[in-house]
Amino acid sequence: MPLPPGAQVLPDADAVARAAADHLVAVCADAPGDRVAVCLSGGSTPKRLYGLLAGPDYVSQVPWERIHWFFGDDRVVPWDDALSNVRMVREAFGHGAPIPATHLHFIPSDLGAEAGAAAYARTLRDFYGADTLEPGRPLFDLVLLGLGEDGHTASLFPGKPALDEAGAWAAPVPEAGMTPFVPRITLTYPALGSSRWVLFLVTGAGKRDPLRRLADGEDLPAARVTSAGQMVWLLDAAAAEA
């Protein structure tokens, strides 16, 4: 099966998480300025990654005082809900990650989808220091993304209006395209693409079909993601198997 440009095939999900951790450390070391902006993804493989970063092999390599952590999407549920990406990230980092309290920028899901998206867009603009994204000055140093079995990424689902949002940096998703069918808030293509690096983490046999559809040129949401810099796909053998 043809693989996306920049694809690397690794033995399993643990190897994908470790490769992602190495990549994040390298991106931070190479980042210009005093701040590093990383956009987080939900999912089981990113959860492994966050645990690795806070663990003994990586915790001393990560410049925690420089990194600001953002979210690519979240469900409109309380932050302590089992469906919340905020809860997952907190649990994955645990007590091992010395993250300054002001460096975790949660999506305000308590405001609802519409108001929460508008508020998060303001948070991003305030951090960026401008209302318009400049081609030569990316918003993020690194964006982490996954690939859904329907081809979605972040909360950009097939056939939903957020796919066509060209101006706002964050958008409401009143109806998700898959279970659980709760409203969501997602970053848009302009925001996700304003990045020095985009890193897709794709694991498991369930991802073979969307990868095959991408290879066939189907217009899946993940296929529309761009990067101001470079894009890398980290796949495990189960996902990449023809």
Side-chain angles (χ1 to χ4, degrees):
M1 177 175 63
L3 299 176
Q8 301 173 24
V9 180
L10 298 148
D12 52 33
D14 287 334
V16 168
R18 185 165 292 275
D22 290 337
H23 197 88
L24 185 145
V25 169
V27 168
C28 290
D30 188 50
D34 297 329
R35 302 189 305 180
V36 181
V38 176
C39 183
L40 300 173
S41 172
S44 58
T45 302
K47 186 174 182 177
R48 285 188 178 93
L49 165 62
Y50 310 148
L52 273 178
L53 294 175
D57 291 344
Y58 287 94
V59 67
S60 63
Q61 300 182 55
V62 178
W64 301 98
E65 70 287 351
R66 294 178 61 209
I67 302 176
H68 286 257
W69 308 90
F70 295 88
F71 286 71
D73 71 320
D74 208 349
R75 299 179 180 93
V76 180
V77 295
W79 287 346
D80 61 353
D81 191 283
L83 297 176
S84 169
N85 282 340
V86 169
R87 174 173 170 173
M88 183 275 283
V89 167
R90 280 172 160 168
E91 290 178 348
F93 277 134
H95 298 293
I99 301 174
T102 57
H103 287 201
L104 269 174
H105 303 278
F106 301 144
I107 293 176
S109 55
D110 57 318
L111 300 179
E114 294 276 353
Y120 206 54
R122 287 195 297 273
T123 295
L124 292 168
R125 289 195 300 268
D126 289 345
F127 179 83
Y128 187 69
D131 292 335
T132 303
L133 293 167
E134 302 169 11
R137 187 167 70 93
L139 170 61
F140 297 114
D141 293 285
L142 175 64
V143 170
L144 301 170
L145 291 172
L147 175 67
E149 295 185 11
D150 61 350
H152 84 269
T153 193
S155 283
L156 296 163
F157 293 99
K160 299 299 182 182
L163 294 179
D164 300 318
E165 180 55 65
W169 298 9
V173 183
E175 182 184 70
M178 62 185 299
T179 57
F181 293 103
V182 298
R184 301 191 184 201
I185 296 166
T186 187
L187 298 196
T188 60
Y189 289 121
L192 294 172
S194 182
S195 55
R196 295 198 301 121
W197 289 88
V198 169
L199 193 61
F200 274 92
L201 310 182
V202 183
T203 61
K207 306 304 171 67
R208 292 177 194 167
D209 181 63
L211 283 170
R212 186 174 296 109
R213 292 164 66 190
L214 286 171
D216 290 341
E218 189 171 338
D219 184 25
L220 299 178
R224 300 190 190 183
V225 176
T226 60
S227 173
Q230 300 187 59
M231 189 179 304
V232 173
W233 291 71
L234 298 180
L235 317 175
D236 73 351
E241 183 178 326

